[in-house]
Amino acid sequence: MEQQNLTRLGKFLCLILRHKPETVGITVDRRGWADVDELIRGVNKKYPFSRELLEEIVRTDAKQRYAFSEDGTKIRANQGHSLPVDLGLTPLDPPPVLWHGSARRFEASILEQGLLPQSRRQVHLSPDYETAVAVGRRHGEPIVFQVQCGEMRRDGFFFYRAENGVWLTDMVPPAYLIPVEPD
Ligand code: HQG
């Protein structure tokens, strides 16, 4: 299938698996897993869909947003949920710093309140500066914060790494944020 259509279907899959499984009449379990057959039947009511197409979307997704269960009968989004799921990830020691990209219009509020998960379950942090700039640009003029994760960890905060390399934490108080001006 053409990349453009794959991307469109991928966005729909994100909506279902992260936010609104009811859109296609399915549910996800507390770990975020949806039954693959139910998902295919559900999506099929709106668009022609198949296991092959689902596998192509999962395989070609630029951010590796989805994962199949080991036996291939279930699928979930690796991160980005607003649904109340617990991915069951093991806390990990983070690198000394990670990065968060946001938009200029949120800067004052972030410096006052810290990073909050807003509509998602957790705050998303990028492993490198360039990725953070790209994440920030989705929202407008990008700004980037360097997040002092080593220090946070020593102070008792927990960090998790989603299967696609995105780091997750519950919130980041302003004291651990260093604004970095993009070039
Ligand atoms: C901002 C994408 C005001 C935060 C990306 C962000 C990522 C605050 C926005 C993943 C704030 C929420 C997540 C505060 C945080 N005051 N604004 N106190 N605290 N914000 O989309 O991190 O393509 O929910 O900076 O690549 O942008 O979907 O989070 O700008 O990995 O797979 O509130 O989503 O991946 O926006 O993006 P989002 P995000 P996907």
Side-chain angles (χ1 to χ4, degrees):
M1 181 180 263
E2 274 179 41
Q3 191 55 51
Q4 204 185 349
N5 291 335
L6 281 180
T7 304
R8 194 171 306 140
L9 267 176
K11 288 208 161 134
F12 188 48
L13 205 53
C14 263
L15 173 80
I16 296 166
L17 295 177
R18 289 173 169 177
H19 310 297
K20 293 184 172 177
E22 66 274 16
T23 316
V24 293
I26 66 166
T27 55
V28 302
D29 70 16
R30 70 191 181 96
R31 295 288 190 220
W33 295 108
D35 182 89
V36 169
D37 292 336
E38 276 181 28
L39 173 70
I40 292 168
R41 271 199 301 275
V43 175
N44 230 329
K45 287 180 194 148
K46 306 210 177 209
Y47 308 102
F49 201 57
S50 64
R51 169 111 206 174
E52 290 68 35
L53 199 45
L54 181 62
E55 284 177 1
E56 190 177 359
I57 292 170
V58 172
R59 193 177 59 246
T60 58
D61 187 81
K63 293 192 188 173
Q64 292 294 296
R65 291 180 176 90
Y66 324 97
F68 284 108
S69 58
E70 268 175 34
D71 66 1
T73 62
K74 290 177 183 171
I75 185 169
R76 74 177 180 185
N78 284 324
Q79 34 71 224
H81 299 82
S82 59
L83 289 165
V85 300
D86 171 2
L87 296 171
L89 301 172
T90 309
L92 280 185
D93 280 339
V97 302
L98 287 167
W99 305 86
H100 180 86
S102 188
R104 183 71 65 195
R105 67 183 188 285
F106 301 143
E107 186 176 25
S109 163
I110 291 172
L111 287 171
E112 193 185 312
Q113 306 174 340
L115 292 173
L116 302 175
Q118 308 294 43
S119 63
R120 307 199 195 238
R121 306 308 301 168
Q122 289 180 304
V123 170
H124 286 52
L125 302 173
S126 305
D128 56 80
Y129 171 86
E130 288 74 23
T131 306
V133 174
V135 171
R137 191 164 285 130
R138 292 161 44 252
H139 298 288
E141 185 200 339
I143 57 166
V144 173
F145 295 96
Q146 192 191 68
V147 183
Q148 305 304 298
C149 297
E151 217 178 295
M152 283 181 73
R153 180 69 207 108
R154 285 191 289 282
D155 292 343
F157 289 83
F158 289 101
F159 289 83
Y160 308 87
R161 193 176 58 214
E163 205 160 302
N164 60 359
V166 172
W167 284 84
L168 304 167
T169 195
D170 290 345
M171 66 92 62
V172 179
Y176 302 100
L177 292 173
I178 300 178
V180 180
E181 281 303 317
D183 305 327

